[in-house]
Amino acid sequence: MEGKVVLVTGASRGIGAATAERLAGMGADVVINYRDKKARAEKVAEIVRSRGQQALLAQADLTDAAAQRQMVDDVAKKFGRLDVLILNASGGMERDVPADYAMRLNRDAQTRMVDLATRIMPPGSRIVFVTSHQAHFFHSRSTIPEYESVAASKRAGEDALREREQELARRGISLVVVSGDVIEGTITATLLDRARPGLLETRRREAGHLPTVDEFADAVASAAARPEPPAEPVYVGQTA
Ligand SMILES: NC(=O)c1ccc[n+]([C@@H]2O[C@H](COP(=O)([O-])OP(=O)(O)OC[C@H]3O[C@@H](n4cnc5c(N)ncnc54)[C@H](OP(=O)(O)O)[C@@H]3O)[C@@H](O)[C@H]2O)c1
């Protein structure tokens, strides 16, 4: 990743923050997108800089098209291009969000991010879409009602990106999907377990092991860095 410029959406915490830190360790300059948590995003930027790389903090609510456009303009101004876009930010389980929020963030904002970012992505660039098994397998498996709108919207986002895959390929831009089981120690895991007490323990037992944030971030960073994009989605943790 030496000399590459990477934008990680939702990099202020969790998997996005861990991925940003890893990519900096691999030699990339990192654009750290966040929505609200500036102090946390600044800590991630400090870690990126401590690894000898440049960091750009990019506050943008991805459901706001003007904010997304401004973020891409800022990346172009500072770095002149973008080599890797990691679509990590996700949401929909927050309290008090409108009914269509999950679809606006997990589908509409993802495709718009791709349309805007690819204007500054040269041939050889890559997009990594981060998703969960519950979303990736949404069409063939049931999920708990509390996560259903998130799973449906993330799957719709993945499908919408796949529809663009050939056009992206013509421009020399590859698309990789990385899907994970429930990840230990994340807020989403806590929210799911709160909604369905015992869900985490049951899943741990079924799967034998739930991936950690570090394991998932390693897989996302390596999907970004591999010279050849994997043809199939990268699965982290048990899929069955
Ligand atoms: N957690 C799991 O068990 C799990 C399992 C499999 C896959 N995944 C996938 O991994 C990815 C990251 O999950 P996570 O658990 O690390 O998420 P998380 O802890 O909920 O973090 C979400 C990140 O996205 C940002 N964000 C939220 N809404 C945003 C918006 N409207 N605009 C811009 N940024 C926004 C947040 O920024 P602020 O902090 O500034 O609000 C935060 O940095 C997601 O795609 C998720 O589906 C997670």
Side-chain angles (χ1 to χ4, degrees):
M1 295 300 288
E2 292 287 335
K4 299 254 166 121
V5 180
V6 181
L7 190 166
V8 184
T9 66
S12 56
R13 71 178 191 208
I15 293 147
T19 303
E21 292 165 16
R22 267 163 185 69
L23 289 164
M26 294 158 85
D29 295 326
V30 187
V31 184
I32 297 154
N33 161 251
Y34 66 99
R35 177 190 47 181
D36 293 324
K37 306 288 184 315
K38 187 173 183 197
R40 286 193 195 160
E42 276 169 348
K43 280 198 184 128
V44 179
E46 270 168 37
I47 294 171
V48 167
R49 292 189 189 109
S50 75
R51 299 195 168 150
Q53 299 306 130
Q54 297 186 72
L56 175 65
L57 280 181
Q59 191 283 325
D61 182 330
L62 300 179
T63 60
D64 177 346
Q68 283 181 306
R69 212 169 289 125
Q70 184 62 54
M71 174 164 72
V72 173
D73 287 351
D74 291 345
V75 176
K77 202 165 156 197
K78 183 165 173 79
F79 295 110
R81 63 173 207 291
L82 181 68
D83 301 300
V84 178
L85 170 65
I86 303 202
L87 296 168
N88 165 79
S90 173
M93 287 188 81
E94 301 89 338
R95 259 185 243 150
D96 303 328
V97 289
D100 65 346
Y101 178 75
M103 205 53 96
R104 279 171 43 214
L105 176 58
N106 299 328
R107 181 192 61 193
D108 303 345
Q110 308 302 315
T111 50
R112 194 168 51 231
M113 194 67 246
V114 164
D115 293 342
L116 289 167
T118 50
R119 293 180 191 169
I120 60 165
M121 294 176 77
S125 303
R126 181 159 307 163
I127 296 165
V128 180
F129 180 70
V130 181
T131 191
S132 63
H133 291 352
Q134 294 192 52
H136 180 72
F137 295 110
F138 180 72
H139 294 316
S140 53
R141 291 183 202 166
S142 61
T143 182
I144 62 169
E146 290 83 353
Y147 189 72
E148 197 156 324
S149 66
V150 178
S153 58
K154 284 184 74 73
R155 181 65 227 196
E158 182 178 340
D159 291 341
L161 294 179
R162 286 283 183 215
E163 278 171 24
R164 283 166 163 75
E165 197 170 9
Q166 285 193 353
E167 162 63 15
L168 291 169
R170 273 194 289 277
R171 297 162 65 184
I173 303 172
S174 51
L175 171 69
V176 180
V177 172
V178 181
S179 176
D181 199 348
V182 183
I183 309 295
E184 288 282 11
T186 58
I187 290 169
T188 305
T190 305
L191 290 177
L192 291 173
D193 202 56
R194 202 172 287 158
R196 298 283 149 151
L199 178 147
L200 265 188
E201 193 41 48
T202 304
R203 185 60 195 146
R204 253 182 228 121
R205 243 198 335 269
E206 278 170 4
H209 165 79
L210 293 184
T212 62
V213 169
D214 284 345
E215 286 167 345
F216 197 40
D218 279 342
V220 176
S222 109
R226 287 161 71 152
E228 286 305 316
E232 299 298 318
V234 175
Y235 295 119
V236 183
Q238 294 290 336
T239 53

